């Protein structure tokens, strides 16, 4: 309740620059948004409903991305989703994409791919595989490739650091090397610290590097 009260109390301050003018930027408002979104993050661990409301009420991209990122990370099997239909979550993530597409905003479309790639859910790897078949994904577009594949490898450690994650990224390195060696080299850097991992992961990463070298 106290956290929710702080979240509500920050609403006016967080939107102060948004209602003033289209060009005005307020450090105070930006700080309030950051703190408010941090509160939302904690609130979402108990109940996902505030995230839906936050997404719907967002008047700036910072708040919209914060909500969309939390939505992508919600697991329908968890207790915090008991009052939320998974379709409500999916519809909003899709709405985020649709708005970016309508505005022809490639940077926001990249963000849409990224927030799903970094979502710490058990289906993350399969979600990434599915997104590779999306009409707006192309391995020939370096920024789009990095927004999905590199983000999964570099910003989703819980879902990347296992045998399936290593195998997937190894496959992507080998494939994209045929298109853009520079992009492949950058992605391969996720294995650079392989010696620092515990024995099981260290061996899996070593095998991945050997496979890349031999291809």
């Amino acid at each position: 309740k106290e956290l929710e009260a702080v979240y509500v109390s920050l609403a006016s301050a967080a939107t102060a620059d948004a209602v003033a003018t289209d060009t005005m930027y307020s450090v105070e408002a930006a700080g309030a948004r950051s703190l408010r979104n941090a509160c939302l993050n904690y609130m979402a661990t108990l109940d996902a409903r505030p995230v839906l409301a936050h997404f719907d009420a967002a008047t700036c991209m910072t708040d919209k991305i914060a909500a969309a990122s939390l939505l992508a990370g919600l697991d329908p099997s968890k207790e915090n989703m008991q009052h939320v239909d998974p379709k409500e979550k999916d519809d909003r993530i899709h709405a985020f994409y649709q708005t970016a597409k309508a505005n022809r905003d490639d940077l926001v479309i990249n963000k849409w791919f990224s927030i799903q790639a970094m979502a710490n859910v058990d289906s993350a790897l399969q979600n990434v595989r599915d997104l590779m078949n999306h009409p707006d994904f192309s391995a020939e577009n370096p920024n789009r490739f990095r927004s999905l594949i590199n983000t999964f490898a570099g910003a989703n450690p819980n879902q990347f650091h296992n045998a399936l994650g290593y195998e997937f990224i190894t496959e992507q390195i080998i494939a994209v090397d045929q298109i853009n060696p520079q992009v492949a080299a950058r992605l391969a850097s996720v294995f650079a610290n392989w010696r620092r991992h515990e024995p099981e992961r260290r061996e899996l990463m070593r095998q991945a590097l050997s496979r890349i070298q031999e291809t």
Side-chain angles (χ1 to χ4, degrees):
K1 291 296 183 180
E2 292 181 7
L3 190 62
E4 184 177 352
V6 173
Y7 171 83
V8 171
S9 71
L10 289 167
S12 296
T15 58
D17 54 358
V19 299
T21 71
D22 290 336
T23 57
M24 184 181 296
Y25 175 81
S26 163
V27 173
E28 290 77 12
R33 282 193 293 272
S34 179
L35 180 56
R36 190 165 182 254
N37 288 329
C39 290
L40 181 68
N41 193 1
Y42 287 111
M43 290 164 59
T45 63
L46 300 177
D47 187 349
R49 287 176 292 182
V51 184
L52 303 181
H54 192 89
F55 182 91
D56 294 341
T59 57
C60 68
M61 187 55 65
T62 299
D63 285 348
K64 190 71 80 174
I65 289 175
S69 298
L70 288 174
L71 288 169
L74 292 174
D75 184 341
S77 68
K78 302 299 184 181
E79 189 174 348
N80 62 341
M81 282 284 286
Q82 63 180 328
H83 300 300
V84 174
D85 185 337
K87 187 175 183 300
E88 294 182 273
K89 160 195 163 179
D90 295 339
D91 286 349
R92 284 165 174 80
I93 294 174
H94 184 62
F96 184 87
Y97 163 75
Q98 292 281 47
T99 300
K101 184 69 173 177
N103 293 334
R104 299 180 179 179
D105 194 331
D106 285 339
L107 292 178
V108 178
I109 293 176
N110 286 345
K111 193 67 179 179
W112 178 76
F113 278 100
S114 293
I115 62 176
Q116 294 175 90
M118 68 176 64
N120 184 22
V121 292
D122 292 342
S123 60
L125 178 54
Q126 186 57 52
N127 293 343
V128 170
R129 288 188 182 277
D130 292 343
L131 285 166
M132 290 181 69
N133 295 319
H134 191 277
D136 274 323
F137 179 81
S138 171
E140 296 181 0
N141 180 329
N143 290 331
R144 191 59 45 83
F145 183 90
R146 285 191 289 264
S147 69
L148 182 63
I149 308 302
N150 289 51
T151 298
F152 172 74
N156 199 341
N158 285 345
Q159 303 303 324
F160 165 60
H161 283 290
N162 55 64
L164 292 177
Y166 296 159
E167 180 180 7
F168 171 71
I169 292 302
T170 300
E171 292 169 353
Q172 301 313 309
I173 292 169
I174 293 170
V176 80
D177 187 52
Q178 306 301 311
I179 302 170
N180 191 325
Q182 185 176 2
V183 171
R186 181 170 176 179
L187 180 56
S189 67
V190 298
F191 293 129
N193 64 349
W194 65 276
R195 289 186 177 86
R196 300 180 183 178
H197 289 265
E198 89 289 347
E200 183 178 354
R201 288 193 176 95
R202 184 164 65 235
E203 176 58 19
L204 289 170
M205 296 175 89
R206 187 197 65 77
Q207 291 175 12
L209 287 168
S210 295
R211 180 182 170 192
I212 293 166
Q213 185 177 30
E214 293 168 1
T215 302

